[in-house]
Structure formats: structure tokens, C-alpha cells
Amino acid sequence: MTNFTPTAADRFTFGLWTVGNVGRDPFGEPTRQPLSAPYIVRKLAELGASGINLHDNDLVPIDATAAERDKIVSDLKAALAETGLKVPMATTNLFGDPAFKDGAFTSADRRVRAYALQKTMRSMDLGAELGAKTYVFWGGREGTEVDAGGKLMDALAWFRESLNFLAEYSESQGYGYRFALEPKPNEPRADIFLPTVGSALGFIPTLDKPELFGVNPEFAHETMAGLSFPHAIAQALDAGKLFHIDLNDQKMGRFDQDLRFGAENIKGAFFTVMLLEDTGYSGPLHFDAHALRTEDEAGVWAFARGCMRTYLILKDKVAQFHADPEITAALEAYRVEDTELAALSKFSPENAEALKNREFDREALGVRGPGLEALDQMTIELLMGVRG
Ligand code: GLT
Ligand code: MN
Ligand code: MN
């Protein structure tokens, strides 16, 4: 039993835009003051995080001069050196500026696509300077409200062309980036291209260097699509493509809430932690969420502490789950193996023939109860703290 206080060894990270979120929404002005990047780094270090992630413009304003940029970057580097925090992931803001209102890499305007490449290369330079090894692409504006423009097929080709270019750029500079595509079904566009983890996994093999590309699934985004986050990350893990992860929470059928990890769907969070821990995922555990708009700065740090604490508590619950004899017995009873049938299930013409002629007691197969109600109730009771 621990006191659930995180340390750098837990690999928790936060985007500058997460704890730095000022509480603006489409209907209301900011409710909090902006926090400087060095201040965020020092606060997160105190709380036990291991690193920060950033968009170019979380750190450097889009219209900063070269001298301003260098000063901002050196102030951040000083805070990183002082605290030991790292910058494992970087990304580009390709959604905030009006130039990107109809897409960046998928804009129908060649000039916008070229500008998006320029902005991303500069941002990759910044990330590399700060030591980032993962580069995320969240295509927030890569989508449409109307399909009358007729670019559905072109948009995918333009996206591919840009990603191929940027992978070559990374290699030519020796940056060693691995790229992670972050899917989202909608918001801020009505329909965003590559809307789910499955879509991104289908797109990656069409790139020139698919080995450099994986996914950055976000709990809220799969939930917005009505899908299960644990199922999505299981598929990414199975494909060897879970390069990064955005942990948060979300009510289904809502706008992108980016809630504190585990705040809403505790069972989904539990099975997420179980998958990450059991499969030995070794990347950063990034919280892409923010404090509620109601909160002041104290609420921001309560939010950050809460994300990490909940992860550690759930990690402890995962260990309890595996060590629980009744749960282990129920899990064993759930699976039925048969060595003869396992052998027959390896294809050969003879096995196929034998299997076709095999007699099965179909009615008996339909009668067996797998015990999932009891197993799920044990899981719930474990999460509620009344087991063991
Ligand atoms: C934006 C979005 C997130 C993405 C970030 C990376 S920016 O806040 O809502 O899900 O991960 O670009
Ligand atoms: Mn989100
Ligand atoms: Mn995200």
C-alpha cells in the first residue's frame, strides 16, 4: 500500500495547454489568469510529474520575433534543468489561427498546406531542441462542415503527402521522432478526417514510412464517438502502434469535456490502466485534460494531483484484482480450452475436413453461463473498496 504520491518514475506528463487552460469556452471568457511555462514546470515538478508537452504556440506566440523566441525557450530550459522535468512530446498548433479555418494539411488551398508544413517543421525543430522524441498530429481543423467542396478523397491524399514530407524532414535532420496521429470524431469541425483510432490504424499502412507512425488515442475522443477507449487502445497495442496516450474522461454524447482522469467512467479508467500496466506500455502517461471552468488556480493543481492519484490508485486496484483468488478462479472458469480442438483449429486440409465432420453439442454450448455477472460485481466491489 502506498500513499499514492507520484514520482518522476511514474512517467506522468501534462500538456502546457492542460494545466495552463484559462477556462475559455465558446460561450464565456477566461475565468483564470494565464500561467507561464516555467511556473507550470516548477509546480508540476513539486506535484511529482515527470514532464510537460507543448504546441509551438503554447510556448512561443505565433508572431514572436526570433529574439523573443530564444528568450522564452531559454527560460523554459532553465526551469527544466532546475527541476529535471522532460519534454517527451511536442506538437503543432494547426487549428487556432484563422489561416487554418478550413484545414491545415487538408486545406483546399495549396498555400495553406505549404504554410502548415513550414509551421510544423519549425515546431519540430523546437521540440527536438527540447528533447522531444514523440511528435503528435491532432488534426483539429482537418475536416468539413459541408462536403459540397468535393475534397473527401483529395483530403486524404493531401494529408498523406504532408505526413510523408514531415517524416522525411525528421529523418533528414536526425531528430528520431516517432509520429502519433490523434483521432477525434468532431469538434471543432462537424466531421474530422480519421475520426477514430481504427481509422488512423487503417491509414498508417498507406504512408511511405509506416513504421514511424502510430496513434495517440484520447479517452474523451473515442467516448465522443460512442466507442470504448479500452477496446481502442487494445487494438492499438495489438498493432504495436500505441506510441502515446491522452488520458482524461468524458460523458458520452457531450462536447469534448477533457475531464480529470477517472472523474466520470471509473470502470473505463480501471480497464485502461489494466491494459497499460499488464502489457508493459512504457511511454509517457499524458493527461490531456483541464480543470473545470469553475475553478481558480488551487482547483487547477487539485485537478492535476487528482489525475495522477487516480491513476496510481487504479494501478493498485489492478494489482489487487490479479491477486484476488476468487476473481482468479472466476477468470479461469470463464475460459474453456480443449487441446484436441486447439490442434484442429490450425489449418490443414485434413483438420478442415475433421472439423467439418465434428459433432458439437450445440445446445450445451448455449446453456453454459460464463459467470460474468459475478465477475463484474466483484470488480465493482473491488473498485468501491469493499474487497480484501
Ligand atoms: C487540443 C485537443 C487535444 C489535443 C491537443 C494536441 S490540442 O487541446 O483538444 O485533444 O491532444 O494538439
Ligand atoms: Mn479532448
Ligand atoms: Mn488530446
Side-chain angles (χ1 to χ4, degrees):
M1 194 67 175
T2 84
N3 61 2
F4 307 116
T5 304
T7 68
D10 293 310
R11 315 188 319 276
F12 294 135
T13 62
F14 288 84
L16 284 183
W17 70 93
T18 64
V19 285
N21 181 289
V22 291
R24 179 184 289 109
D25 76 12
F27 304 96
E29 300 304 326
T31 59
R32 293 185 285 268
Q33 293 297 316
L35 305 173
S36 77
Y39 179 76
I40 289 175
V41 166
R42 292 189 178 99
K43 286 299 288 187
L44 286 175
E46 262 172 56
L47 295 182
S50 74
I52 53 142
N53 305 313
L54 48 84
H55 299 88
D56 47 357
N57 305 135
D58 295 340
L59 185 66
V60 183
I62 197 165
D63 50 6
T65 64
E68 286 164 348
R69 173 208 187 270
D70 291 349
K71 165 84 172 87
I72 293 168
V73 173
S74 82
D75 288 351
L76 174 65
K77 280 183 174 168
L80 294 169
E82 178 192 315
T83 57
L85 255 62
K86 305 277 181 256
V87 181
M89 177 272 257
T91 182
T92 333
N93 185 325
L94 293 173
F95 42 88
D97 195 86
F100 302 122
K101 63 191 176 189
D102 192 26
F105 301 135
T106 63
S107 168
D109 185 334
R110 167 64 81 181
R111 296 166 304 174
V112 175
R113 301 205 294 279
Y115 172 56
L117 285 178
Q118 180 198 74
K119 192 170 192 291
T120 305
M121 283 191 287
R122 290 180 179 174
S123 176
M124 285 165 65
D125 299 345
L126 171 66
E129 187 180 341
L130 295 169
K133 286 289 169 217
T134 302
Y135 203 86
V136 162
F137 291 104
W138 173 63
R141 296 281 172 201
E142 316 290 9
T144 63
E145 284 71 43
V146 296
D147 292 328
K151 69 172 181 183
L152 294 187
M153 297 298 293
D154 296 316
L156 293 170
W158 292 331
F159 214 156
R160 183 178 301 117
E161 180 180 271
S162 295
L163 295 176
N164 286 339
F165 180 103
L166 293 165
E168 291 292 346
Y169 177 69
S170 172
E171 303 266 276
S172 73
Q173 297 293 309
Y175 286 160
Y177 277 124
R178 294 207 306 168
F179 300 98
L181 308 182
E182 180 177 343
K184 187 174 183 183
N186 60 273
E187 194 192 315
R189 303 308 298 268
D191 287 291
I192 295 180
F193 301 126
L194 307 180
T196 64
V197 169
S199 319
L201 289 174
F203 186 69
I204 288 170
T206 72
L207 298 170
D208 287 348
K209 297 196 161 160
E211 67 283 1
L212 294 182
F213 289 83
V215 289
N216 178 38
E218 176 172 315
F219 200 118
H221 298 176
E222 295 301 298
T223 307
M224 286 170 73
L227 299 172
S228 152
F229 190 63
H231 284 229
I233 58 171
Q235 199 185 344
L237 285 162
D238 179 66
K241 291 294 188 187
L242 190 69
F243 284 12
H244 200 264
I245 193 161
D246 277 0
L247 299 169
N248 60 11
D249 214 336
Q250 173 76 27
K251 289 193 197 209
M252 206 176 275
R254 303 287 201 284
F255 61 94
D256 186 18
Q257 295 178 294
D258 292 332
L259 299 170
R260 191 178 74 256
F261 180 58
E264 179 62 29
N265 177 354
I266 195 77
K267 238 159 89 173
F270 174 67
F271 288 115
T272 295
V273 173
M274 186 181 281
L275 276 168
L276 295 175
E277 296 299 323
D278 289 359
T279 57
Y281 167 79
S282 60
L285 296 164
H286 174 229
F287 298 107
D288 185 12
H290 53 78
L292 301 170
R293 185 167 183 268
T294 51
E295 300 307 291
D296 60 7
E297 191 187 322
V300 170
W301 305 121
F303 146 82
R305 202 181 287 111
C307 285
M308 296 189 281
R309 227 178 120 70
T310 297
Y311 189 99
L312 292 177
I313 294 168
L314 290 175
K315 184 173 164 180
D316 197 59
K317 296 281 181 195
V318 168
Q320 268 183 46
F321 183 94
H322 291 317
D324 186 311
E326 223 186 322
I327 290 179
T328 306
L331 284 169
E332 274 167 17
Y334 178 50
R335 291 171 192 236
V336 180
E337 255 317 327
D338 181 312
T339 42
E340 195 194 339
L341 289 176
L344 279 185
S345 301
K346 305 228 173 339
F347 183 82
S348 71
E350 300 71 36
N351 283 350
E353 199 51 31
L355 202 48
K356 275 212 283 190
N357 294 322
R358 177 95 181 190
E359 297 258 338
F360 286 96
D361 185 347
R362 181 176 47 78
E363 282 180 16
L365 292 179
V367 164
R368 185 183 90 98
L372 290 173
E373 282 288 0
L375 186 54
D376 193 56
Q377 181 65 20
M378 287 191 274
T379 308
I380 288 285
E381 292 191 14
L382 184 141
L383 288 175
M384 290 194 293
V386 295
R387 275 189 84 77

